[in-house]
Amino acid sequence: MTDQRGTILVVDDNRLNRLLLTRALEALGHAVATAEDGGQALERLREGRAPPFDVVLLDVVMPELDGYQTLARIKEDRALRHLPVIMISALDETDSAIRCIALGAEDYLAKPFDPVLLRARLGACLEKKRLHDQELAYLATIEARDAELAEWNRTLEARVQAQLEEMERLGRLRRFLSPQLAEVIVSSGDERLLEGHRREVTVVFCDLRGFTAFAETARPEELMGVLREYHEAFGPLIFRYEGTLERFAGDGMMVFFNDPVPCPDPVWGAVRMAAAMQRRMVDLARGWRERGHQLSLGVGIAVGVATCGRIGFEGRFDYAAIGPVTNLAARLCDRAQPGQILISERAYAEVADRVAAEPVGELSLKGFGRPVPAFNVVEVKDLDAAATSVAGMAMDNAGGDGDPRRAIVEVQG
Amino acid sequence: MAEPDVLDRAALADLLAMTGGDAAFLAELIDTYVADTPQQLATIRQSLESGDAEAVRRAAHSLKSNSATFGAATLAETGAQIEARGKTGELAGTGELVARADAEYDRVRRALRALQAAGEPGG
């Protein structure tokens, strides 16, 4: 077994002893530092030098701070307590050296020094110090692991918190966005999309023809039942075509496209949604008719720039699009006959190649200085399905069974 | 020439083993001892005069310890006796011990110088 090398502090007021021990220890391959008294020794031990000392050779009889006191200070110090101390004592002082061992010294070395004993006692101390260092390193590893675990816990908590916040935001956004869009916004973490801005949007207004008369006479539960069926049927259509629902207002609803999340073909989305609504309306109207209610759907669509953003107050926010385009869509809706989808000239230009529509002339609308040209969509050439006749639904709503075109003409007439 | 009774051979052998047979280092140790011991003796005398028993004890402790290192057994023993007086504080009659230590140190010094000369190359 090769002897371990260490860094040793020799503490002795006697110059001859320091010389002798330094030389002897260096001959064994150790690094040596010396101190002339206890005070100096403690100073050196606390300097925090690297590598730290492995063993202290400590003389008993010294001026000022003697060996006993120095030993006591070392053992009181949490940072130094583990350091092995070998007492240096004259042969006739072994009693005092043994007292030092009771105080925490590791061993003693008698003067004059026996080189074999010096080497053996030092070796034992260095081994002990090595084991202690290993233990410290092990404890440090455990502490590091504990710290790591604590860090993981903190990270986990933060992630749970972030997810809760995300879910809360998602919940808020779902009030007026389709689930897909709400998730897009939440996952992008960019709620600035909801701040006020101007954008070109396609606005869809729809409401029920005959609703006012129905509402005047219907029992409350019947009225609410009809509205519930109506909303439950149309809500999923809004989401499917990724429209933004601004609001339900009784039998009316306003949906817009291209905001807050842009979509590639907003007018087309709006028109297809409107057609799907009219299609869905066939079954709804049939059921209502059986219960004695004459209700049908009118839709207005317009394109234009609006100011969009979140309006309201904490606890009750809506996402709104505000501008002439909203008015135009609302007025077109007002003028739509049962089963009709009236679209503005600009909206028609966007989808002219994909719909069959007929002009309904120039309409004088409240809030618009000049007559406004409008078109009634009678057929939607949906790429996903066979061409859908909107007019057929109008006829069906009206309860007729003849030529769809005629039905339109009849309604318009 | 070394006087056999002044320096203990076994202790000297240990000392030489500690120094790894380095004659120059042994010479340095002897120089140190020869420089320090008269000071220790002087400290003992002065402290006796001033009645400082603790100072007597410490200086005698070093005298004893260093002398033992070189195997100067008689001087180490005298040092131990002086140290014991310092410890108890019974300093009366210590002057006589100091006079003996002075004389013995003279012999030790000469023996060490002879040893030093013998250890030097060509000596």
PDB file of all heavy atoms in Angstrom, chain A residues 185-220:
ATOM      1  N   ILE A 185     -54.912  30.720 -29.731  1.00  0.00           N
ATOM      2  CA  ILE A 185     -54.530  31.953 -29.045  1.00  0.00           C
ATOM      3  C   ILE A 185     -53.836  31.653 -27.730  1.00  0.00           C
ATOM      4  O   ILE A 185     -52.788  32.208 -27.406  1.00  0.00           O
ATOM      5  CB  ILE A 185     -55.767  32.840 -28.814  1.00  0.00           C
ATOM      6  CG1 ILE A 185     -56.253  33.362 -30.169  1.00  0.00           C
ATOM      7  CG2 ILE A 185     -55.439  33.990 -27.878  1.00  0.00           C
ATOM      8  CD1 ILE A 185     -57.506  34.165 -30.108  1.00  0.00           C
ATOM      9  N   VAL A 186     -54.380  30.686 -26.979  1.00  0.00           N
ATOM     10  CA  VAL A 186     -53.787  30.377 -25.683  1.00  0.00           C
ATOM     11  C   VAL A 186     -52.395  29.771 -25.858  1.00  0.00           C
ATOM     12  O   VAL A 186     -51.446  30.142 -25.162  1.00  0.00           O
ATOM     13  CB  VAL A 186     -54.693  29.422 -24.883  1.00  0.00           C
ATOM     14  CG1 VAL A 186     -53.940  28.889 -23.670  1.00  0.00           C
ATOM     15  CG2 VAL A 186     -55.934  30.164 -24.427  1.00  0.00           C
ATOM     16  N   SER A 187     -52.266  28.859 -26.827  1.00  0.00           N
ATOM     17  CA  SER A 187     -50.956  28.209 -26.978  1.00  0.00           C
ATOM     18  C   SER A 187     -49.929  29.203 -27.516  1.00  0.00           C
ATOM     19  O   SER A 187     -48.747  29.089 -27.235  1.00  0.00           O
ATOM     20  CB  SER A 187     -51.052  26.976 -27.870  1.00  0.00           C
ATOM     21  OG  SER A 187     -51.445  27.371 -29.159  1.00  0.00           O
ATOM     22  N   SER A 188     -50.362  30.195 -28.283  1.00  0.00           N
ATOM     23  CA  SER A 188     -49.415  31.222 -28.740  1.00  0.00           C
ATOM     24  C   SER A 188     -49.077  32.172 -27.603  1.00  0.00           C
ATOM     25  O   SER A 188     -48.089  32.889 -27.655  1.00  0.00           O
ATOM     26  CB  SER A 188     -49.993  32.012 -29.910  1.00  0.00           C
ATOM     27  OG  SER A 188     -50.957  32.930 -29.437  1.00  0.00           O
ATOM     28  N   GLY A 189     -49.894  32.145 -26.546  1.00  0.00           N
ATOM     29  CA  GLY A 189     -49.657  32.993 -25.372  1.00  0.00           C
ATOM     30  C   GLY A 189     -49.820  34.467 -25.699  1.00  0.00           C
ATOM     31  O   GLY A 189     -49.391  35.327 -24.971  1.00  0.00           O
ATOM     32  N   ASP A 190     -50.446  34.748 -26.853  1.00  0.00           N
ATOM     33  CA  ASP A 190     -50.493  36.133 -27.303  1.00  0.00           C
ATOM     34  C   ASP A 190     -51.915  36.669 -27.238  1.00  0.00           C
ATOM     35  O   ASP A 190     -52.666  36.619 -28.204  1.00  0.00           O
ATOM     36  CB  ASP A 190     -49.960  36.206 -28.738  1.00  0.00           C
ATOM     37  CG  ASP A 190     -49.725  37.645 -29.160  1.00  0.00           C
ATOM     38  OD1 ASP A 190     -49.954  38.552 -28.334  1.00  0.00           O
ATOM     39  OD2 ASP A 190     -49.315  37.858 -30.311  1.00  0.00           O
ATOM     40  N   GLU A 191     -52.276  37.192 -26.090  1.00  0.00           N
ATOM     41  CA  GLU A 191     -53.622  37.724 -25.949  1.00  0.00           C
ATOM     42  C   GLU A 191     -53.752  39.116 -26.541  1.00  0.00           C
ATOM     43  O   GLU A 191     -54.808  39.724 -26.482  1.00  0.00           O
ATOM     44  CB  GLU A 191     -54.049  37.716 -24.477  1.00  0.00           C
ATOM     45  CG  GLU A 191     -54.567  36.356 -24.055  1.00  0.00           C
ATOM     46  CD  GLU A 191     -55.222  36.387 -22.687  1.00  0.00           C
ATOM     47  OE1 GLU A 191     -56.385  36.819 -22.591  1.00  0.00           O
ATOM     48  OE2 GLU A 191     -54.563  35.977 -21.734  1.00  0.00           O
ATOM     49  N   ARG A 192     -52.623  39.603 -27.102  1.00  0.00           N
ATOM     50  CA  ARG A 192     -52.701  40.915 -27.753  1.00  0.00           C
ATOM     51  C   ARG A 192     -53.644  40.873 -28.934  1.00  0.00           C
ATOM     52  O   ARG A 192     -54.158  41.886 -29.390  1.00  0.00           O
ATOM     53  CB  ARG A 192     -51.317  41.364 -28.209  1.00  0.00           C
ATOM     54  CG  ARG A 192     -50.482  41.953 -27.081  1.00  0.00           C
ATOM     55  CD  ARG A 192     -49.110  42.287 -27.565  1.00  0.00           C
ATOM     56  NE  ARG A 192     -48.494  41.111 -28.171  1.00  0.00           N
ATOM     57  CZ  ARG A 192     -47.311  41.120 -28.765  1.00  0.00           C
ATOM     58  NH1 ARG A 192     -46.639  42.234 -28.868  1.00  0.00           N
ATOM     59  NH2 ARG A 192     -46.812  40.030 -29.271  1.00  0.00           N
ATOM     60  N   LEU A 193     -53.891  39.628 -29.443  1.00  0.00           N
ATOM     61  CA  LEU A 193     -54.863  39.452 -30.509  1.00  0.00           C
ATOM     62  C   LEU A 193     -56.213  40.053 -30.119  1.00  0.00           C
ATOM     63  O   LEU A 193     -57.011  40.423 -30.979  1.00  0.00           O
ATOM     64  CB  LEU A 193     -55.052  37.956 -30.779  1.00  0.00           C
ATOM     65  CG  LEU A 193     -53.945  37.252 -31.570  1.00  0.00           C
ATOM     66  CD1 LEU A 193     -54.131  35.747 -31.477  1.00  0.00           C
ATOM     67  CD2 LEU A 193     -53.982  37.709 -33.026  1.00  0.00           C
ATOM     68  N   LEU A 194     -56.444  40.127 -28.797  1.00  0.00           N
ATOM     69  CA  LEU A 194     -57.748  40.596 -28.323  1.00  0.00           C
ATOM     70  C   LEU A 194     -57.787  42.105 -28.131  1.00  0.00           C
ATOM     71  O   LEU A 194     -58.816  42.668 -27.815  1.00  0.00           O
ATOM     72  CB  LEU A 194     -58.115  39.889 -27.014  1.00  0.00           C
ATOM     73  CG  LEU A 194     -58.131  38.360 -27.093  1.00  0.00           C
ATOM     74  CD1 LEU A 194     -58.573  37.774 -25.758  1.00  0.00           C
ATOM     75  CD2 LEU A 194     -59.061  37.878 -28.207  1.00  0.00           C
ATOM     76  N   GLU A 195     -56.622  42.746 -28.276  1.00  0.00           N
ATOM     77  CA  GLU A 195     -56.606  44.200 -28.119  1.00  0.00           C
ATOM     78  C   GLU A 195     -57.214  44.866 -29.348  1.00  0.00           C
ATOM     79  O   GLU A 195     -57.292  44.269 -30.422  1.00  0.00           O
ATOM     80  CB  GLU A 195     -55.158  44.684 -27.921  1.00  0.00           C
ATOM     81  CG  GLU A 195     -54.609  44.294 -26.555  1.00  0.00           C
ATOM     82  CD  GLU A 195     -53.116  44.536 -26.442  1.00  0.00           C
ATOM     83  OE1 GLU A 195     -52.551  45.170 -27.362  1.00  0.00           O
ATOM     84  OE2 GLU A 195     -52.542  44.079 -25.452  1.00  0.00           O
ATOM     85  N   GLY A 196     -57.645  46.106 -29.177  1.00  0.00           N
ATOM     86  CA  GLY A 196     -58.332  46.800 -30.255  1.00  0.00           C
ATOM     87  C   GLY A 196     -57.463  46.965 -31.501  1.00  0.00           C
ATOM     88  O   GLY A 196     -56.285  47.281 -31.411  1.00  0.00           O
ATOM     89  N   HIS A 197     -58.043  46.713 -32.671  1.00  0.00           N
ATOM     90  CA  HIS A 197     -57.312  46.845 -33.936  1.00  0.00           C
ATOM     91  C   HIS A 197     -58.336  46.914 -35.069  1.00  0.00           C
ATOM     92  O   HIS A 197     -59.501  46.564 -34.883  1.00  0.00           O
ATOM     93  CB  HIS A 197     -56.381  45.643 -34.133  1.00  0.00           C
ATOM     94  CG  HIS A 197     -57.096  44.331 -34.061  1.00  0.00           C
ATOM     95  ND1 HIS A 197     -57.353  43.692 -32.872  1.00  0.00           N
ATOM     96  CD2 HIS A 197     -57.651  43.562 -35.046  1.00  0.00           C
ATOM     97  CE1 HIS A 197     -58.017  42.568 -33.109  1.00  0.00           C
ATOM     98  NE2 HIS A 197     -58.217  42.459 -34.409  1.00  0.00           N
ATOM     99  N   ARG A 198     -57.875  47.372 -36.235  1.00  0.00           N
ATOM    100  CA  ARG A 198     -58.780  47.431 -37.388  1.00  0.00           C
ATOM    101  C   ARG A 198     -58.434  46.319 -38.356  1.00  0.00           C
ATOM    102  O   ARG A 198     -57.271  46.039 -38.600  1.00  0.00           O
ATOM    103  CB  ARG A 198     -58.681  48.799 -38.067  1.00  0.00           C
ATOM    104  CG  ARG A 198     -59.394  49.881 -37.265  1.00  0.00           C
ATOM    105  CD  ARG A 198     -59.315  51.228 -37.919  1.00  0.00           C
ATOM    106  NE  ARG A 198     -60.037  51.327 -39.200  1.00  0.00           N
ATOM    107  CZ  ARG A 198     -61.359  51.375 -39.308  1.00  0.00           C
ATOM    108  NH1 ARG A 198     -62.122  51.304 -38.228  1.00  0.00           N
ATOM    109  NH2 ARG A 198     -61.923  51.501 -40.483  1.00  0.00           N
ATOM    110  N   ARG A 199     -59.444  45.687 -38.865  1.00  0.00           N
ATOM    111  CA  ARG A 199     -59.197  44.592 -39.804  1.00  0.00           C
ATOM    112  C   ARG A 199     -60.420  44.408 -40.696  1.00  0.00           C
ATOM    113  O   ARG A 199     -61.546  44.690 -40.283  1.00  0.00           O
ATOM    114  CB  ARG A 199     -58.924  43.293 -39.027  1.00  0.00           C
ATOM    115  CG  ARG A 199     -58.668  42.112 -39.953  1.00  0.00           C
ATOM    116  CD  ARG A 199     -58.240  40.898 -39.206  1.00  0.00           C
ATOM    117  NE  ARG A 199     -56.897  41.048 -38.666  1.00  0.00           N
ATOM    118  CZ  ARG A 199     -56.403  40.287 -37.690  1.00  0.00           C
ATOM    119  NH1 ARG A 199     -57.149  39.342 -37.153  1.00  0.00           N
ATOM    120  NH2 ARG A 199     -55.184  40.458 -37.270  1.00  0.00           N
ATOM    121  N   GLU A 200     -60.163  43.907 -41.895  1.00  0.00           N
ATOM    122  CA  GLU A 200     -61.294  43.591 -42.774  1.00  0.00           C
ATOM    123  C   GLU A 200     -61.926  42.283 -42.319  1.00  0.00           C
ATOM    124  O   GLU A 200     -61.224  41.279 -42.181  1.00  0.00           O
ATOM    125  CB  GLU A 200     -60.843  43.456 -44.227  1.00  0.00           C
ATOM    126  CG  GLU A 200     -62.045  43.224 -45.141  1.00  0.00           C
ATOM    127  CD  GLU A 200     -61.663  43.239 -46.604  1.00  0.00           C
ATOM    128  OE1 GLU A 200     -61.502  44.342 -47.152  1.00  0.00           O
ATOM    129  OE2 GLU A 200     -61.515  42.157 -47.190  1.00  0.00           O
ATOM    130  N   VAL A 201     -63.214  42.348 -42.053  1.00  0.00           N
ATOM    131  CA  VAL A 201     -63.918  41.153 -41.591  1.00  0.00           C
ATOM    132  C   VAL A 201     -65.147  40.907 -42.456  1.00  0.00           C
ATOM    133  O   VAL A 201     -65.621  41.799 -43.153  1.00  0.00           O
ATOM    134  CB  VAL A 201     -64.358  41.292 -40.117  1.00  0.00           C
ATOM    135  CG1 VAL A 201     -63.153  41.330 -39.200  1.00  0.00           C
ATOM    136  CG2 VAL A 201     -65.234  42.520 -39.907  1.00  0.00           C
ATOM    137  N   THR A 202     -65.601  39.665 -42.395  1.00  0.00           N
ATOM    138  CA  THR A 202     -66.875  39.324 -43.012  1.00  0.00           C
ATOM    139  C   THR A 202     -67.867  39.109 -41.881  1.00  0.00           C
ATOM    140  O   THR A 202     -67.620  38.305 -40.988  1.00  0.00           O
ATOM    141  CB  THR A 202     -66.748  38.031 -43.847  1.00  0.00           C
ATOM    142  OG1 THR A 202     -65.758  38.235 -44.840  1.00  0.00           O
ATOM    143  CG2 THR A 202     -68.080  37.683 -44.503  1.00  0.00           C
ATOM    144  N   VAL A 203     -68.964  39.882 -41.923  1.00  0.00           N
ATOM    145  CA  VAL A 203     -69.928  39.824 -40.817  1.00  0.00           C
ATOM    146  C   VAL A 203     -71.198  39.133 -41.279  1.00  0.00           C
ATOM    147  O   VAL A 203     -71.705  39.406 -42.365  1.00  0.00           O
ATOM    148  CB  VAL A 203     -70.266  41.242 -40.299  1.00  0.00           C
ATOM    149  CG1 VAL A 203     -71.290  41.174 -39.168  1.00  0.00           C
ATOM    150  CG2 VAL A 203     -68.993  41.946 -39.836  1.00  0.00           C
ATOM    151  N   VAL A 204     -71.666  38.210 -40.454  1.00  0.00           N
ATOM    152  CA  VAL A 204     -72.910  37.486 -40.743  1.00  0.00           C
ATOM    153  C   VAL A 204     -73.930  37.807 -39.659  1.00  0.00           C
ATOM    154  O   VAL A 204     -73.641  37.640 -38.468  1.00  0.00           O
ATOM    155  CB  VAL A 204     -72.665  35.954 -40.766  1.00  0.00           C
ATOM    156  CG1 VAL A 204     -73.979  35.213 -41.055  1.00  0.00           C
ATOM    157  CG2 VAL A 204     -71.585  35.591 -41.773  1.00  0.00           C
ATOM    158  N   PHE A 205     -75.096  38.300 -40.079  1.00  0.00           N
ATOM    159  CA  PHE A 205     -76.219  38.456 -39.154  1.00  0.00           C
ATOM    160  C   PHE A 205     -77.309  37.478 -39.557  1.00  0.00           C
ATOM    161  O   PHE A 205     -77.564  37.261 -40.727  1.00  0.00           O
ATOM    162  CB  PHE A 205     -76.810  39.872 -39.242  1.00  0.00           C
ATOM    163  CG  PHE A 205     -76.337  40.784 -38.148  1.00  0.00           C
ATOM    164  CD1 PHE A 205     -75.221  41.589 -38.351  1.00  0.00           C
ATOM    165  CD2 PHE A 205     -76.996  40.831 -36.923  1.00  0.00           C
ATOM    166  CE1 PHE A 205     -74.774  42.425 -37.352  1.00  0.00           C
ATOM    167  CE2 PHE A 205     -76.546  41.673 -35.917  1.00  0.00           C
ATOM    168  CZ  PHE A 205     -75.436  42.472 -36.121  1.00  0.00           C
ATOM    169  N   CYS A 206     -77.924  36.864 -38.555  1.00  0.00           N
ATOM    170  CA  CYS A 206     -79.098  36.066 -38.894  1.00  0.00           C
ATOM    171  C   CYS A 206     -80.135  36.192 -37.778  1.00  0.00           C
ATOM    172  O   CYS A 206     -79.780  36.406 -36.618  1.00  0.00           O
ATOM    173  CB  CYS A 206     -78.728  34.610 -39.162  1.00  0.00           C
ATOM    174  SG  CYS A 206     -77.855  33.806 -37.833  1.00  0.00           S
ATOM    175  N   ASP A 207     -81.393  36.080 -38.151  1.00  0.00           N
ATOM    176  CA  ASP A 207     -82.434  35.990 -37.127  1.00  0.00           C
ATOM    177  C   ASP A 207     -83.643  35.276 -37.693  1.00  0.00           C
ATOM    178  O   ASP A 207     -83.691  34.928 -38.866  1.00  0.00           O
ATOM    179  CB  ASP A 207     -82.765  37.357 -36.512  1.00  0.00           C
ATOM    180  CG  ASP A 207     -83.284  38.359 -37.510  1.00  0.00           C
ATOM    181  OD1 ASP A 207     -83.668  37.934 -38.630  1.00  0.00           O
ATOM    182  OD2 ASP A 207     -83.307  39.563 -37.188  1.00  0.00           O
ATOM    183  N   LEU A 208     -84.599  35.049 -36.811  1.00  0.00           N
ATOM    184  CA  LEU A 208     -85.753  34.230 -37.176  1.00  0.00           C
ATOM    185  C   LEU A 208     -86.899  35.112 -37.654  1.00  0.00           C
ATOM    186  O   LEU A 208     -87.300  36.062 -36.955  1.00  0.00           O
ATOM    187  CB  LEU A 208     -86.203  33.387 -35.981  1.00  0.00           C
ATOM    188  CG  LEU A 208     -85.218  32.308 -35.524  1.00  0.00           C
ATOM    189  CD1 LEU A 208     -85.708  31.660 -34.231  1.00  0.00           C
ATOM    190  CD2 LEU A 208     -84.994  31.272 -36.606  1.00  0.00           C
ATOM    191  N   ARG A 209     -87.383  34.790 -38.848  1.00  0.00           N
ATOM    192  CA  ARG A 209     -88.593  35.459 -39.345  1.00  0.00           C
ATOM    193  C   ARG A 209     -89.773  34.890 -38.571  1.00  0.00           C
ATOM    194  O   ARG A 209     -89.833  33.685 -38.326  1.00  0.00           O
ATOM    195  CB  ARG A 209     -88.815  35.158 -40.848  1.00  0.00           C
ATOM    196  CG  ARG A 209     -87.687  35.573 -41.762  1.00  0.00           C
ATOM    197  CD  ARG A 209     -87.650  37.108 -41.845  1.00  0.00           C
ATOM    198  NE  ARG A 209     -86.547  37.630 -41.047  1.00  0.00           N
ATOM    199  CZ  ARG A 209     -85.371  37.982 -41.565  1.00  0.00           C
ATOM    200  NH1 ARG A 209     -85.140  37.878 -42.848  1.00  0.00           N
ATOM    201  NH2 ARG A 209     -84.433  38.453 -40.794  1.00  0.00           N
ATOM    202  N   GLY A 210     -90.648  35.777 -38.140  1.00  0.00           N
ATOM    203  CA  GLY A 210     -91.849  35.329 -37.421  1.00  0.00           C
ATOM    204  C   GLY A 210     -91.632  35.208 -35.936  1.00  0.00           C
ATOM    205  O   GLY A 210     -92.530  34.811 -35.181  1.00  0.00           O
ATOM    206  N   PHE A 211     -90.444  35.562 -35.489  1.00  0.00           N
ATOM    207  CA  PHE A 211     -90.134  35.367 -34.071  1.00  0.00           C
ATOM    208  C   PHE A 211     -90.907  36.332 -33.164  1.00  0.00           C
ATOM    209  O   PHE A 211     -91.361  35.963 -32.084  1.00  0.00           O
ATOM    210  CB  PHE A 211     -88.626  35.517 -33.836  1.00  0.00           C
ATOM    211  CG  PHE A 211     -88.213  35.200 -32.417  1.00  0.00           C
ATOM    212  CD1 PHE A 211     -88.064  33.872 -32.000  1.00  0.00           C
ATOM    213  CD2 PHE A 211     -87.987  36.210 -31.492  1.00  0.00           C
ATOM    214  CE1 PHE A 211     -87.695  33.574 -30.703  1.00  0.00           C
ATOM    215  CE2 PHE A 211     -87.621  35.913 -30.180  1.00  0.00           C
ATOM    216  CZ  PHE A 211     -87.470  34.584 -29.787  1.00  0.00           C
ATOM    217  N   THR A 212     -91.058  37.583 -33.630  1.00  0.00           N
ATOM    218  CA  THR A 212     -91.724  38.589 -32.805  1.00  0.00           C
ATOM    219  C   THR A 212     -93.159  38.167 -32.506  1.00  0.00           C
ATOM    220  O   THR A 212     -93.593  38.188 -31.344  1.00  0.00           O
ATOM    221  CB  THR A 212     -91.691  39.960 -33.500  1.00  0.00           C
ATOM    222  OG1 THR A 212     -90.337  40.240 -33.865  1.00  0.00           O
ATOM    223  CG2 THR A 212     -92.197  41.062 -32.588  1.00  0.00           C
ATOM    224  N   ALA A 213     -93.860  37.721 -33.544  1.00  0.00           N
ATOM    225  CA  ALA A 213     -95.243  37.267 -33.360  1.00  0.00           C
ATOM    226  C   ALA A 213     -95.285  36.047 -32.454  1.00  0.00           C
ATOM    227  O   ALA A 213     -96.126  35.946 -31.545  1.00  0.00           O
ATOM    228  CB  ALA A 213     -95.849  36.925 -34.726  1.00  0.00           C
ATOM    229  N   PHE A 214     -94.344  35.132 -32.668  1.00  0.00           N
ATOM    230  CA  PHE A 214     -94.265  33.916 -31.863  1.00  0.00           C
ATOM    231  C   PHE A 214     -94.044  34.277 -30.391  1.00  0.00           C
ATOM    232  O   PHE A 214     -94.710  33.763 -29.495  1.00  0.00           O
ATOM    233  CB  PHE A 214     -93.139  33.040 -32.405  1.00  0.00           C
ATOM    234  CG  PHE A 214     -92.641  32.001 -31.446  1.00  0.00           C
ATOM    235  CD1 PHE A 214     -93.450  30.914 -31.070  1.00  0.00           C
ATOM    236  CD2 PHE A 214     -91.360  32.073 -30.911  1.00  0.00           C
ATOM    237  CE1 PHE A 214     -92.970  29.959 -30.192  1.00  0.00           C
ATOM    238  CE2 PHE A 214     -90.878  31.127 -30.032  1.00  0.00           C
ATOM    239  CZ  PHE A 214     -91.691  30.067 -29.666  1.00  0.00           C
ATOM    240  N   ALA A 215     -93.086  35.220 -30.157  1.00  0.00           N
ATOM    241  CA  ALA A 215     -92.722  35.580 -28.789  1.00  0.00           C
ATOM    242  C   ALA A 215     -93.879  36.228 -28.044  1.00  0.00           C
ATOM    243  O   ALA A 215     -94.014  36.087 -26.832  1.00  0.00           O
ATOM    244  CB  ALA A 215     -91.507  36.508 -28.801  1.00  0.00           C
ATOM    245  N   GLU A 216     -94.733  36.910 -28.792  1.00  0.00           N
ATOM    246  CA  GLU A 216     -95.861  37.587 -28.149  1.00  0.00           C
ATOM    247  C   GLU A 216     -96.871  36.597 -27.588  1.00  0.00           C
ATOM    248  O   GLU A 216     -97.509  36.870 -26.583  1.00  0.00           O
ATOM    249  CB  GLU A 216     -96.559  38.501 -29.160  1.00  0.00           C
ATOM    250  CG  GLU A 216     -95.868  39.843 -29.287  1.00  0.00           C
ATOM    251  CD  GLU A 216     -96.437  40.671 -30.444  1.00  0.00           C
ATOM    252  OE1 GLU A 216     -97.414  40.222 -31.097  1.00  0.00           O
ATOM    253  OE2 GLU A 216     -95.893  41.768 -30.684  1.00  0.00           O
ATOM    254  N   THR A 217     -96.981  35.446 -28.224  1.00  0.00           N
ATOM    255  CA  THR A 217     -98.040  34.513 -27.839  1.00  0.00           C
ATOM    256  C   THR A 217     -97.528  33.265 -27.130  1.00  0.00           C
ATOM    257  O   THR A 217     -98.289  32.598 -26.439  1.00  0.00           O
ATOM    258  CB  THR A 217     -98.843  34.070 -29.085  1.00  0.00           C
ATOM    259  OG1 THR A 217     -97.922  33.504 -30.020  1.00  0.00           O
ATOM    260  CG2 THR A 217     -99.566  35.244 -29.720  1.00  0.00           C
ATOM    261  N   ALA A 218     -96.290  32.933 -27.316  1.00  0.00           N
ATOM    262  CA  ALA A 218     -95.787  31.657 -26.788  1.00  0.00           C
ATOM    263  C   ALA A 218     -95.655  31.696 -25.278  1.00  0.00           C
ATOM    264  O   ALA A 218     -95.397  32.747 -24.676  1.00  0.00           O
ATOM    265  CB  ALA A 218     -94.439  31.331 -27.411  1.00  0.00           C
ATOM    266  N   ARG A 219     -95.841  30.521 -24.667  1.00  0.00           N
ATOM    267  CA  ARG A 219     -95.584  30.407 -23.229  1.00  0.00           C
ATOM    268  C   ARG A 219     -94.060  30.507 -23.025  1.00  0.00           C
ATOM    269  O   ARG A 219     -93.286  30.128 -23.909  1.00  0.00           O
ATOM    270  CB  ARG A 219     -96.078  29.048 -22.721  1.00  0.00           C
ATOM    271  CG  ARG A 219     -97.599  28.974 -22.582  1.00  0.00           C
ATOM    272  CD  ARG A 219     -98.043  27.575 -22.194  1.00  0.00           C
ATOM    273  NE  ARG A 219     -97.848  26.616 -23.262  1.00  0.00           N
ATOM    274  CZ  ARG A 219     -97.033  25.566 -23.192  1.00  0.00           C
ATOM    275  NH1 ARG A 219     -96.334  25.343 -22.114  1.00  0.00           N
ATOM    276  NH2 ARG A 219     -96.923  24.729 -24.219  1.00  0.00           N
ATOM    277  N   PRO A 220     -93.664  31.019 -21.850  1.00  0.00           N
ATOM    278  CA  PRO A 220     -92.213  31.230 -21.627  1.00  0.00           C
ATOM    279  C   PRO A 220     -91.391  29.968 -21.880  1.00  0.00           C
ATOM    280  O   PRO A 220     -90.353  30.025 -22.538  1.00  0.00           O
ATOM    281  CB  PRO A 220     -92.129  31.650 -20.160  1.00  0.00           C
ATOM    282  CG  PRO A 220     -93.473  32.182 -19.828  1.00  0.00           C
ATOM    283  CD  PRO A 220     -94.463  31.453 -20.708  1.00  0.00           C
TER     284      PRO A 220
END
